[in-house]
Every structure is written in structure tokens, then in C-alpha cells.
Amino acid sequence: MRLLFINASPRGKKSNTGILMQHFIRGFLETPDNTCEVEYLVKYKNNLNALTEKFSAWDNVIIGFPLYVDAMPGSVKAFMEALAPLKGRKDLPALGFMIQCGFPETAHLRFVAKYCEKFSRRIGCRFLGCILKGGCEGLDVQPTFLTEKYFSLFGMLGLDFGKTGKIDEDILTKLARPEHLSAENMAMVVPFINQALWDAQMEKNGVLNLSFDRPLMP
Amino acid sequence: MKILILNGNPHGDTGSIDPYVDHLVEKIKSAGHDVTIITLRDHKISPCIGCFHCWIKTPGICSINDDARDITRQFIAADHVILASPLMMGFPSHLLKNAMDRNICIVHPHLEEVDGEVHHKKRYDRYPVISLLLEKEADTDEEDIDILKDIFRRQAVNMWSSVGFVHFTESPFEEIIHAITVH
């Protein structure tokens, strides 16, 4: 099987999307003769047509991106607009998406996932599915006990996709936990994220006292 | 009332958004409101790069110093923001999305519970109502509109706002003026 993975994160190579992608690809390449190429959307920001041409030359394409303001980042939307001329062509790849967000619950990703499914239908690509994962901000600094389970699920998902050409629903369901947080979980997780992820970085930068500044106040 | 229209039409010479917005501006003025229109294609708005400097290095200010900074300032100062765009592959243009992405500096990185879900804390006391004015594509259907409404309802929740109206360039101007007035 041949797969083009487009890492469409605005952060390019240093992205949480990229970390998840690597685990998926590791699994995908375990099947002999599978090949995968990775392209970074940021590299093509001034030449989207070059990436559009590549897109149509593959059997399978997965586009990975982070949730920005409840949808795809503007730069990803620009790429989706650049794909519009391919609409209805017979040689289009099967298309899937890998979407992650910093919010701990997967519920935030369901709406853009519906859009992505509709986008696939509109352009005329067979839809592979959307791989969704919340809680992904700062993956490189999250403790291993938090990440190892779902990194291995991303590997399993890639392995299974590499064998069957399908994105396994059961693994997606496991990855999607928690869809929502229980009240107890929320009481534990929210102060932890606020302190360990955000206040710690503000403190390091010497701006914790300016945390709630309103510089654009009318 | 202070109304801000962000026109995200990438092509000024085609489609119905520009003439509709021009006409709407006159109607809004006649109704006694203060209205500003920003045509995004005439401004430099780089895409958000996810650096989070606006949260952790210079709280409330984006690290990219281009026209988006002033647009965000006008956004937060408005009572009602109308996001105007043709639908392109079932969603408003990337110009409009880039402008919205650059607005994350108006909320705080901290999370808190809002109706059983985690959302960002407020940075400012008040936020504008956001509305959508869209031009349909030839194949726009009810499913597209439902998807959009869901996404923008959620954007509004994340920005401590609410969705005022969703209208199309075939809507009578009076309906929009009415919707602005009741919000």
C-alpha cells in the first residue's frame, strides 16, 4: 500500500500532530512493501498547487492537523480550497484525516470531523475516516504514563490500516476516550493543565503576573 | 450599536458578497448603527503559527505584528461582528478563518468548565455577538448548513460569545437589520 501523509500542522516538523503521525506510520510500515511519504503543508504555503498535484498521484492520503478555533487552521482551509479543482476527477485517492486538540475531551473534534467527511464526499474521494485525539497539547512534555497507551494505539491503528486499508472503528473508539470528562475528572484535570502546562510556562517567561492582561481593551 | 463586518471574500470582482455587503452597510447606517467594514483581502493577515506567545510570552498580544492585531482590537471593541464570506468547499474562506485563528489572544489559556465541557477562560469582560453572512455554492445543502452552524455555535462558546444570525446573500436586508437589533 502507498500512503501520502500530509502533516498540515502550522508548527510543521515540531508539532504534536507529527508525534502522533510517527506512531501511526511506524505501524503502517510494519507490513512489507508498504510505502509512506510525508509532506509538510508549511513547506508549500506559497505553492499549494504543487502539493495538490502530489495529492492526486497517491492511492491513500491522510491529512493531519490540530484543531484551531473549533475547525481546521486557516492554512489548512487554504489547502482545501486549492484542492477544489480536483472535484469529481476519477483518479482521486482515498482520504482520511488525523485531528488532535489540546482540550482533553474528544467531543470538541466531532464537528470538524463531520466537515471533513463532507469535504471528502464533495471532492469525490472515498472517505477513510477521521482519527481523533484530545489532550494533545505539549505531547513532548507529557509524562510517559499518560502518552504510552495511546501512542501504542496509534501504532496499532497504522498497522491495521497498513494491512486492511481501513481505519479500525474499535481502535478509534478506544482513542476517543474520554469523549467527555466526568465531574471528578474535570476537577482533577483542569487545575493540573492550568498549572503544569500554562502557569509554568508563563512563570518561566516572567509574565505570570501579566497572565490576565487586557492589552487590546477598548 | 457598534457593528464590525469582516469581509472574507477573496475575489472582489466575483460573487454576491461584496455588492451585498455594500448595500447592507447603507441599511445598517440608516438604522442608526455605527458600522465598520474590513475587507480582509486588502490586509496582511498571516496564518496563526501556534506559537502560543499570545498566551505565555506577551499575554493578550499575538507575536506576529501585522494587520490582524488591529482587526482583533476592533473585534473586541464591537458589539456585533458579521463574518461575511462565500462558502468555498462548504466553509467560509481561508482569509476569514485566518482572521479568526489570530483572535485566540482574546481568551486566556486556562481552562474551566462550561456546561459540562472544558473551554478557555475569559480575558475580557465582554465579547461581541458573532453572525454569519454567507454566499451559497451551487451544491450547498442543508447538511452543509447544519455542519457550519454547529462549528460556529462552538466557536461562539469558546469566545464567550453567541451566534446572532446565519443568513445568506439571498436574505432580505430587513431580516438582518432586525436580527442585529434584537441582539
Side-chain angles (χ1 to χ4, degrees):
Chain A
M1 265 177 80
R2 297 170 67 242
L3 169 67
L4 173 65
F5 201 110
I6 300 175
N7 181 339
S9 168
R11 291 183 187 166
K13 287 196 172 175
K14 287 187 77 176
S15 59
N16 296 306
T17 301
I19 294 173
L20 302 180
M21 173 188 83
Q22 292 301 348
H23 288 281
F24 182 87
I25 291 175
R26 174 175 50 76
F28 177 79
L29 291 177
E30 278 183 41
T31 302
D33 299 330
N34 276 2
T35 54
C36 176
E37 202 172 305
V38 176
E39 286 292 352
Y40 291 86
L41 179 62
V42 281
K43 211 178 98 191
Y44 290 89
K45 63 182 173 186
N46 298 318
N47 186 18
L48 288 174
N49 287 337
L51 190 56
T52 304
E53 277 167 32
K54 270 206 114 144
F55 177 93
S56 48
W58 288 76
D59 310 322
N60 299 282
V61 175
I62 295 178
I63 302 175
F65 61 83
L67 188 74
Y68 270 29
V69 195
D70 290 281
M72 76 303 282
S75 50
V76 177
K77 181 64 202 334
F79 178 53
M80 290 171 141
E81 289 168 22
L83 290 172
L86 303 183
K87 200 171 157 183
R89 259 173 49 175
K90 295 282 173 254
D91 58 345
L92 294 179
L95 179 61
F97 295 86
M98 181 183 285
I99 316 170
Q100 52 84 16
C101 66
F103 293 119
E105 318 107 312
T106 304
H108 295 267
L109 297 164
R110 295 289 173 196
F111 303 87
V112 69
K114 272 192 205 161
Y115 171 78
C116 288
E117 183 185 356
K118 184 68 190 273
F119 175 87
S120 303
R121 258 189 280 145
R122 176 171 257 121
I123 197 168
C125 290
R126 185 168 63 82
F127 180 59
L128 292 169
C130 283
I131 305 164
L132 308 177
K133 183 77 192 87
C136 288
E137 186 46 41
L139 279 185
D140 50 342
V141 296
Q142 284 187 21
T144 314
F145 74 89
L146 283 178
T147 54
E148 61 187 356
K149 190 176 159 201
Y150 63 83
F151 283 172
S152 96
L153 284 171
F154 270 89
M156 283 163 63
L157 200 60
L159 175 67
D160 194 74
F161 177 68
K163 282 183 186 159
T164 65
K166 291 188 181 124
I167 292 179
D168 186 80
E169 289 288 338
D170 291 337
I171 304 176
L172 285 186
T173 306
K174 285 183 189 157
L175 270 180
R177 291 182 193 131
E179 183 72 26
H180 289 279
L181 291 179
S182 66
E184 300 80 52
N185 256 335
M186 191 127 20
M188 202 169 64
V189 168
V190 168
F192 175 75
I193 294 176
N194 290 350
Q195 208 290 318
L197 194 60
W198 299 118
D199 285 355
Q201 293 187 82
M202 282 186 261
E203 194 156 23
K204 199 173 128 215
N205 295 327
V207 295
L208 189 55
N209 59 327
L210 303 174
S211 170
F212 282 91
D213 245 21
R214 298 166 171 192
L216 303 178
M217 190 74 171
Chain B
M1 208 186 303
K2 247 175 120 67
I3 317 281
L4 173 66
I5 302 177
L6 298 183
N7 179 354
N9 182 8
H11 314 291
D13 48 352
T14 55
S16 57
I17 282 286
D18 278 49
Y20 191 94
V21 165
D22 288 345
H23 205 141
L24 179 64
V25 164
E26 294 312 312
K27 297 275 184 187
I28 294 174
K29 280 184 190 159
S30 306
H33 301 295
D34 172 7
V35 56
T36 306
I37 166 165
I38 299 177
T39 305
L40 299 177
R41 62 176 180 272
D42 297 336
H43 292 270
K44 170 91 179 120
I45 304 165
S46 293
C48 171
I49 53 170
C51 69
F52 285 152
H53 284 197
C54 66
W55 282 349
I56 59 163
K57 270 201 168 164
T58 51
I61 295 272
C62 177
S63 67
I64 306 170
N65 188 6
D66 62 12
D67 296 343
R69 194 173 286 179
D70 184 57
I71 293 169
T72 304
R73 194 187 299 275
Q74 296 201 50
F75 186 97
I76 196 71
D79 299 305
H80 198 137
V81 177
I82 300 172
L83 307 172
S85 176
L87 289 176
M88 303 173 77
M89 298 304 278
F91 202 84
S93 74
H94 70 281
L95 289 181
L96 189 58
K97 187 62 174 56
N98 279 333
M100 292 301 280
D101 290 349
R102 293 285 300 279
N103 274 342
I104 64 155
C105 53
I106 66 174
V107 295
H108 191 277
H110 278 186
L111 302 174
E112 69 178 12
E113 191 210 322
V114 180
D115 292 333
E117 276 183 7
V118 166
H119 292 280
H120 286 284
K121 278 185 191 167
K122 276 184 173 186
R123 181 178 295 283
Y124 293 91
D125 290 330
R126 49 163 296 284
Y127 291 83
V129 172
I130 55 175
S131 287
L132 284 174
L133 171 63
L134 304 167
E135 179 188 355
K136 286 183 184 168
E137 294 171 280
D139 59 358
T140 299
D141 59 21
E142 284 302 316
E143 185 188 22
D144 292 318
I145 296 167
D146 287 344
I147 290 170
L148 282 169
K149 283 183 174 169
D150 276 342
I151 289 177
F152 279 84
R153 180 178 48 76
R154 295 189 64 84
Q155 285 196 2
V157 170
N158 271 319
M159 293 202 162
W160 294 93
S161 171
S162 60
V163 176
F165 60 80
V166 179
H167 271 299
F168 298 90
T169 48
E170 62 250 37
S171 302
F173 294 108
E174 290 66 29
E175 283 187 22
I176 295 188
I177 302 297
H178 176 74
I180 290 172
T181 313
V182 297
H183 271 283

